[in-house]
């Protein structure tokens, strides 16, 4: 499989993005000036230890930290942090977050099909309930779930199936850019590989651009075209994933890598296709 072109147009450019939380007189610099380009159709992995600012950066990129984020986040050339209401509404359809815990982010009292139908109606993708239900079934099939799953409640689905519904819900707005924050860390290893393969397929067949946040370097090796390593709110190293993983320049990246016993062989075991 070939990686998406490294010279496709830049979809998102982060320039000196900072996130500073102020709460009860305390000031936390969660992100300390991160700059990178993400090209269309590629998957950027963001790794770093717990508390290094990965989720804060992700929220800032989606315009979800209006009080804490500064810098520039250019999406198709327009700054997410300062865009007007109309531009923001369009951006919200195109850029979506996928969370780690699908049970926590799905409404327990809503059937899978209805959860998708609601999003389709809210975003104006469907005009009638009936149209929304039809489209919901199509989106379920895109993520590998047949029509039998539409009437199921979240507790009637496995963790992997819930994450599929969650992905469908993010995609059905017409999203082309997804940020997945630890999307598989709550799942069994065998299920992880299937969800990651689905994400890879969506990248390949639908041209979805991803940011994938995680701790697991074997996952990053399998998924990421580019990699950004964070430490204490800053970016210590970034570049093509193969270069960062196999010829890391920064001592912190080397430390991260040395904590994974054998990246290539653990990979081939887990992601053999
Ligand atoms: N809403 C908030 N208010 C105040 N401080 C916050 C908030 N969210 C995160 N922080 C702090 O910002 C820093 C970065 O947190 P963040 O959640 O972005 O890290 P992370 O890399 O996503 O960690 P993890 O791998 O554990 O998810 C931490 O010190 C955290 O305590
Ligand atoms: Mg996080």
């Amino acid at each position: 499989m070939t990686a998406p072109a490294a010279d496709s147009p830049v979809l998102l450019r982060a320039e000196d993005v900072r996130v500073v939380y102020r709460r009860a007189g305390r000031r936390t610099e969660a992100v300390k000036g991160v700059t990178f380009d993400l090209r269309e159709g590629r998957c950027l992995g963001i790794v770093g230890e717990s508390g290094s600012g990965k989720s804060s950066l992700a929220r800032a990129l989606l315009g979800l930290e209006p009080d804490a984020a500064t810098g520039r986040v250019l999406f198709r050339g327009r700054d997410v942090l300062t865009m007007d209401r109309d531009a923001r509404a369009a951006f919200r359809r195109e850029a979506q977050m996928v969370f780690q815990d699908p049970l926590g982010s799905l409404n327990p009292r809503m059937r899978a099909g209805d959860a998708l139908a609601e999003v389709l109606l809210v975003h104006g993708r469907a005009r009638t309930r009936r149209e929304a239900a039809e489209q919901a079934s199509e989106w379920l099939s895109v993520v590998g779930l047949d029509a039998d799953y539409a009437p199921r409640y979240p507790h009637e689905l496995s963790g992997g199936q819930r994450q599929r519904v969650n992905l469908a819900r993010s995609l059905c707005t017409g999203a082309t850019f997804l940020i997945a924050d630890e999307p598989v860390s709550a799942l069994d290893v065998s299920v992880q590989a299937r969800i990651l393969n689905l994400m890879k397929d969506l990248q390949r067949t639908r041209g979805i651009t991803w940011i994938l946040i995680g701790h697991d370097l074997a996952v990053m090796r399998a998924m990421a075209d580019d990699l950004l390593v964070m430490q204490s709110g800053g970016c210590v190293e970034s570049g093509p994933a193969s270069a960062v993983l196999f010829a890391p320049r920064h001592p912190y990246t080397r430390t991260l890598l040395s904590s994974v016993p054998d990246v290539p062989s653990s990979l081939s075991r887990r992601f053999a296709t």
Side-chain angles (χ1 to χ4, degrees):
M1 188 194 70
T2 53
D7 58 354
S8 60
V10 172
L11 180 69
L12 181 122
R13 167 164 291 164
E15 284 177 9
D16 195 28
V17 173
R18 291 167 192 272
V19 178
V20 179
Y21 298 110
R22 292 180 182 80
R23 190 168 285 180
R26 270 180 53 120
R27 189 172 177 282
T28 308
E29 275 188 74
V31 180
K32 300 173 184 164
V34 169
T35 296
F36 65 86
D37 279 351
L38 174 58
R39 291 177 182 277
E40 271 177 23
R42 288 179 74 86
C43 174
L44 170 70
I46 300 183
V47 292
E49 64 199 356
S50 184
S52 57
K54 304 180 297 293
S55 299
S56 302
L57 174 62
R59 289 195 301 270
L61 297 176
L62 290 180
L64 302 175
E65 291 287 1
D67 302 323
T70 57
R72 299 214 300 168
V73 178
L74 301 173
F75 185 81
R76 299 192 196 285
R78 299 180 77 167
D79 191 351
V80 172
L81 302 185
T82 57
M83 62 181 39
D84 62 28
R85 277 175 63 109
D86 288 351
R88 183 168 298 258
F91 173 69
R92 286 269 151 78
R93 283 192 290 276
E94 255 205 279
Q96 292 276 320
M97 186 84 107
V98 179
F99 293 99
Q100 172 184 1
D101 172 19
L103 195 53
S105 56
L106 292 171
N107 181 340
R109 284 181 294 278
M110 223 181 220
R111 299 169 191 273
D114 293 340
L116 299 187
E118 185 186 69
V119 175
L120 288 158
L121 288 165
V122 165
H123 283 274
R125 309 282 298 180
R127 279 160 305 173
T128 64
R129 288 241 145 237
R130 189 187 167 144
E131 204 175 271
E134 281 167 15
Q135 288 181 22
S137 298
E138 285 162 23
W139 282 109
L140 287 175
S141 81
V142 166
V143 297
L145 296 174
D146 64 34
D148 295 351
Y149 291 93
R152 296 210 196 170
Y153 289 98
H155 72 269
E156 298 171 322
L157 298 167
S158 70
Q161 289 161 352
R162 281 198 289 268
Q163 194 56 297
R164 286 175 194 269
V165 173
N166 213 23
L167 279 168
R169 194 181 51 171
S170 299
L171 287 166
C172 76
T173 61
T176 57
F177 169 52
L178 298 184
I179 300 187
D181 195 346
E182 308 261 12
V184 296
S185 40
L187 302 173
D188 285 353
V189 169
S190 61
V191 183
Q192 286 188 3
R194 275 183 253 143
I195 295 294
L196 293 167
N197 282 332
L198 169 62
M199 290 170 58
K200 211 56 194 162
D201 280 350
L202 292 167
Q203 182 188 11
R204 236 178 344 219
T205 59
R206 295 182 170 258
I208 301 290
T209 308
W210 292 92
I211 288 182
L212 174 62
I213 294 172
H215 290 93
D216 189 331
L217 291 173
V219 167
M220 289 303 171
R221 175 70 189 95
M223 299 294 293
D225 302 305
D226 305 294
L227 208 53
L228 189 152
V229 183
M230 287 187 75
Q231 182 188 28
S232 316
C235 164
V236 296
E237 182 158 2
S238 66
S242 53
V244 175
L245 287 171
F246 292 107
R249 285 179 316 230
H250 195 278
Y252 177 70
T253 314
R254 288 193 206 117
T255 312
L256 270 186
L257 280 167
S258 64
S259 63
V260 183
D262 181 356
V263 170
S265 74
S266 70
L267 249 184
S268 48
R269 263 201 312 280
R270 288 171 51 191
F271 298 100
T273 45

